[in-house]
Every structure is written in C-alpha cells, then in structure tokens.
Amino acid sequence: MRNFTWHVFTQTGDIEAYLLYKEMDKLGRDEQDLEPPSLPKDGNAVLGAEPLG
C-alpha cells in the first residue's frame, strides 16, 4: 500500500498521497521498533547461558 501511495504522488503530485505515504512510512518504522528482539540462532535466550545437553 505504501508503494501505491508513492506511485500516486509521483504521477499526480497530490500532496494528500504524499502525506499518506509519510504517515504509513512512520507507522511502519514504529511497528519495527516495538517488535521484541529475536532469539539468537543458537537458541540461547540468556546472554552467557550454556546450551543444554
């Protein structure tokens, strides 16, 4: 959807399309900031923890 609003802006110069694009871009970055960090590839959730087994 974000790409669509950018395309509409570039084709028409419509400021509303640009403002919607910027709003969606900001929301996308905010959602990425809220995501919890993923576990390391080795599966250790605690720093310095020894693997089980």
Side-chain angles (χ1 to χ4, degrees), residues 22-36:
K22 292 302 285 183
E23 179 80 14
M24 292 173 68
D25 187 53
K26 182 181 182 306
L27 289 173
R29 280 186 271 130
D30 289 346
E31 287 177 6
Q32 288 177 351
D33 291 342
L34 294 176
E35 290 180 11

Side-chain angles (χ1 to χ4, degrees), residues 2 4-6 8-11 14 16 18-19 24 28-30 34-35 38-41 44-45 47 49 52:
R2 192 176 64 115
F4 175 75
T5 57
W6 180 253
V8 170
F9 170 68
T10 59
Q11 296 299 310
D14 181 29
E16 293 293 325
Y18 177 75
L19 293 173
M24 292 173 68
R29 280 186 271 130
D30 289 346
L34 294 176
E35 290 180 11
S38 59
L39 291 175
K41 292 184 192 265
N44 292 331
L47 291 177
L52 297 175

